[in-house]
Amino acid sequence: GLVHTAPGHGTDDYIVGLANNLEIYCPVKVDGVYDETVPEFLSGLSVWDANEVIVNKLKETNHLYHVSMFTHSYPHDWRSKTPVIFRSTEQWFVAVDGELDGKTLRTAALEATENDITFVPAWGQNRMRGMLDSRPDWCLSRQRAWGLPIPAFVQSDGTFLLTPETVRAVAKVFEEHGSDSWFAQPPEILLTHWENPDSIDLTTLEKMHDIFDVWFESGTSWHAVMQARKQGYPVDLYLEGSDQHRGWFQLSMLPALATTGKSPFKTVLTHGFMVAKDGKKMSKSGGNALNVDDLLKDFGADVCRWWVASLAYENDIKVDMSFFEIAAESYRKVRNTLRFLLGNVGDAEGVEILPTSIDGWVLGELSKMETKVTSALRSYDFRIAQQALYDFCNDTLSSVYLATVKDRLYCDVQDSLRRQQTSATIRIVSDTLVRLLAPFMPHTADEAWRALHGNEAESVHLETFAGTDFALDSSWSQVMALRDQALKALEEAKDDGIENPLDAGLVLPSTLSNFEETDLADLCGVSRVSFEGDCVIVQDLREEPRCDRSWKRDGTVSLRSDGGMLSDRDAKAVGVE
């Protein structure tokens, strides 16, 4: 069919017009009526009233072969629910292909994307590059009754007055009296601080009433927030959803490159969006949205943050109330570990920790974990950091170390050397662990920090990471491998009636003889160990007396002066012979 092409009305026609050097003709004025460039019988009519007039005119001149009316969908304003028309208008633009220091703004942005910015995840770079390759000039102006005005004036000869000096003069008035001054004050007041080198009669100026695109306001926040306040520029990190490569990320980069020659950010982190557990978009109207206030009330901010840290945020994130319940259980395990630690801290000053002791082992594991967490945080891999913290609390501490040292904490003489060493170790572990947990569970960490250092201590969030550096003795890998063998042998010994590991002893390979016997006994949960040969052997100790206090059968248990059966260690602890 034959259709008209009107480059001044409609995006597709405009693009066709540009490609074929057609005039961008728009005879419709701002009030929706035809101007004086149209035939006289149409001039002054609204576009709606003109429809019937044009049809009748074509009938009168016998130029209309056939006319038929039909109803079709037409663009409507979503607020007023009334039809709208499209027309080209004068706007303010940023020319992305205009020259800037020998290169276009588009080229500068593509070079920064390629060379100066780290993208997390890496596919963000291709997305940004594609958006920049295809983007048109940036239309800065909007026609609204609200917003930040573009400080331009129309002079009596129809030219515009907009210079760096006039902009700074208007900005000074805005700083003193607010941006509403544009709407409330005449040009001569708005330009009070302008030197007016050409002695223009300011009373003849007419204010323009375009406002800035809101993306220009948010896209220059790097200046207002960081550069103007001397907080550091460029910014380390911009973080937003995956739709912002065409939005905030890109529209922050363009003004920054144009005015400073640098990208406003060193790193861009892109995350997905929350969706329902079935993958559908969450919305109030859909009835599947979660209320944040309810989540905070039911689970607390720390559980919600702990859950967020566990996510692979590169993709869309499925959300369901049951996921927060799982996160709450995980959080409770960490919190309970902290409570046990804080209940057993001692003074770490002047206490030597041997690498071959169980305390030396946990400090070596602590250093490994801290390195892993801080490295993951630097690369914004929060999931790796969160999992490392959870595994350390749940496995390294609860399942191994704290299970091992529980006996000495409960049963040793309070000032015994090994109890002091363990309490000192627990202080080091607690101090480092609370610092590392602070970004993930800030309230819990602050509470634990004050419990550790006193209520007068400053917030943990004013601290830095500890940077512990305790080398792990390489022999511990052999110890832990033999521990696995020992635990398996003890499990098999249940078939012979040894239900309680404290009813057993272990014979371990003599290669471990440089480790403390009591450490290895407690590590395996048995009453005692000895070293001989090169394999693991379970000893049945049920015929030997058991300590009433520690339940151990360590070979020193006997009847004491108070009538109890106690080991030498436990007798000393309670002060009996």
Side-chain angles (χ1 to χ4, degrees), residues 230-249:
K230 295 180 172 55
Q231 295 297 307
Y233 180 85
V235 179
D236 288 328
L237 176 72
Y238 263 43
L239 180 150
E240 250 293 356
S242 53
D243 59 338
Q244 295 306 315
H245 293 92
R246 68 156 45 90
W248 190 47
F249 296 149

Side-chain angles (χ1 to χ4, degrees), residues 535-550:
C535 60
V536 176
I537 302 172
V538 177
Q539 294 177 314
D540 188 346
L541 304 180
R542 285 177 292 174
E543 298 301 319
E544 296 187 13
R546 184 182 74 173
C547 177
D548 292 339
R549 187 166 179 264
S550 65

Side-chain angles (χ1 to χ4, degrees), residues 101 158 213 245 290 314 342 354 381 389 414 418 468 472 569:
D101 295 332
D213 173 18
H245 293 92
L290 292 178
E314 299 91 342
L342 294 174
L354 297 176
D381 201 337
L389 283 164
Q414 189 167 358
R418 71 169 191 167
T468 53
L472 184 65
R569 186 272 310 262

Side-chain angles (χ1 to χ4, degrees), residues 331-396:
Y331 163 82
R332 276 191 291 272
K333 289 181 179 179
V334 173
R335 184 180 176 91
N336 288 339
T337 302
L338 276 177
R339 289 180 63 186
F340 186 91
L341 290 171
L342 294 174
N344 290 281
V345 292
D347 186 359
E349 295 297 325
V351 179
E352 181 183 5
I353 309 297
L354 297 176
T356 54
S357 68
I358 189 65
D359 300 315
W361 173 79
V362 81
L363 290 179
E365 292 294 324
L366 176 72
S367 292
K368 283 170 52 182
M369 182 272 293
E370 183 181 28
T371 299
K372 186 174 185 178
V373 169
T374 53
S375 176
L377 290 177
R378 288 190 191 98
S379 60
Y380 308 105
D381 201 337
F382 308 113
R383 189 184 190 189
I384 292 293
Q386 191 255 22
Q387 190 64 49
L389 283 164
Y390 177 78
D391 289 346
F392 183 77
C393 290
N394 191 55
D395 300 334
T396 307

